[in-house]
Amino acid sequence: GQQLNQSPQSMFIQEGEDVSMNCTSSSIFNTWLWYKQDPGEGPVLLIALYKAGELTSNGRLTAQFGITRKDSFLNISASIPSDVGIYFCAGHDMRFGAGTRLTVKP
Amino acid sequence: GAGVSQSPRYKVAKRGQDVALRCDPISGHVSLFWYQQALGQGPEFLTYFQNEAQLDKSGLPSDRFFAERPEGSVSTLKIQRTQQEDSAVYLCASSLGVPSSGANVLTFGAGSRLTVL
């Protein structure tokens, strides 16, 4: 079956820094979804992508659907303490990656 | 309701007990998913319903796990003869459309945390 690989597994950054994380798949997708999960909560949607090459922003977040349709990245600019959490990607089959755990030091 | 509601939020069971976890999806949502999330891991797919039909149950780890959605709205995940390795957060999510559509964004509940002693 398909596998999603997220990297990096964890990141420790200083407040104000930019962050980049990505997700790759062994299969072609027609959807990429990026979610954030805070402790004790369910994941919450950040950005949804539906077309190869699509670049979408949501505030300080930007995500792109890779041209090969097998990858996607998420960037966070000018990180703030509330960006702390676990970021997950998912494809159209609604299977999730293992997540990138982000820690932001004030 | 406005969001996906799951109950109970916390459940402690003795090994061997049966448990039932409930999910109330957003009204009118066609798709409903169950996931198992172990500590420090991503949500692992368990099963998928389209209305009342269980179209994919390939993620259920054993025949001790059973899910139903008899009227196409509320769903129950049942775990029989619980084992310690069943300890996890069980997440339910729903979406307006089917996974391959443009209306496939999942809204998650807060989860049910199961601890098996």
Side-chain angles (χ1 to χ4, degrees):
Chain A
Q2 71 85 16
Q3 285 188 328
L4 281 181
N5 294 304
Q6 272 192 261
S7 64
Q9 216 172 358
S10 61
M11 303 183 75
F12 296 83
I13 62 168
Q14 206 72 37
E15 183 177 358
E17 289 183 355
D18 297 344
V19 172
S20 185
M21 60 190 79
N22 69 77
C23 204
T24 60
S25 168
S26 57
S27 303
I28 288 174
F29 281 156
N30 60 32
T31 299
W32 281 103
L33 304 171
W34 285 94
Y35 286 82
K36 180 186 180 226
Q37 187 175 30
D38 291 326
E41 302 294 328
V44 173
L45 181 75
L46 298 174
I47 292 179
L49 302 161
Y50 294 105
K51 284 170 57 174
E54 181 181 355
L55 184 72
T56 297
S57 292
N58 178 7
R60 293 178 296 105
L61 277 60
T62 301
Q64 184 158 30
F65 194 140
I67 290 291
T68 65
R69 297 172 63 191
K70 290 186 173 184
D71 65 330
S72 177
F73 70 74
L74 175 70
N75 287 344
I76 306 173
S77 64
S79 58
I80 59 177
S82 62
D83 291 333
V84 165
I86 308 175
Y87 292 79
F88 295 104
C89 62
H92 64 253
D93 62 354
M94 303 302 151
R95 267 64 166 179
F96 283 72
T100 293
R101 183 181 296 272
L102 178 64
T103 302
V104 180
K105 293 179 281 188
Chain B
V4 177
S5 178
Q6 291 189 246
S7 61
R9 283 296 310 271
Y10 304 93
K11 176 69 178 178
V12 179
K14 291 184 180 177
R15 190 162 55 96
Q17 280 185 334
D18 298 348
V19 300
L21 308 176
R22 177 187 168 107
C23 174
D24 283 86
I26 292 174
S27 179
H29 274 199
V30 165
S31 294
L32 186 146
F33 288 80
W34 282 99
Y35 295 87
Q36 180 190 59
Q37 188 174 28
L39 192 63
Q41 303 295 316
E44 289 287 337
F45 170 83
L46 292 177
T47 188
Y48 164 61
F49 289 88
Q50 184 176 318
N51 296 309
E52 70 279 2
Q54 190 175 19
L55 297 188
D56 187 347
K57 54 181 180 179
S58 61
L60 297 176
S62 77
D63 58 8
R64 296 185 296 104
F65 286 71
F66 172 77
E68 59 184 5
R69 193 187 186 198
E71 296 177 358
S73 55
V74 171
S75 178
T76 303
L77 176 66
K78 298 179 180 177
I79 309 173
Q80 296 176 322
R81 304 181 303 282
T82 52
Q83 304 293 314
Q84 282 189 319
E85 63 262 27
D86 299 336
S87 296
V89 174
Y90 290 86
L91 293 166
C92 175
S94 69
S95 68
L96 183 63
V98 298
S100 56
S101 73
N104 58 359
V105 168
L106 292 178
T107 300
F108 280 84
S112 292
R113 180 179 295 276
L114 173 65
T115 302
V116 182
L117 303 177

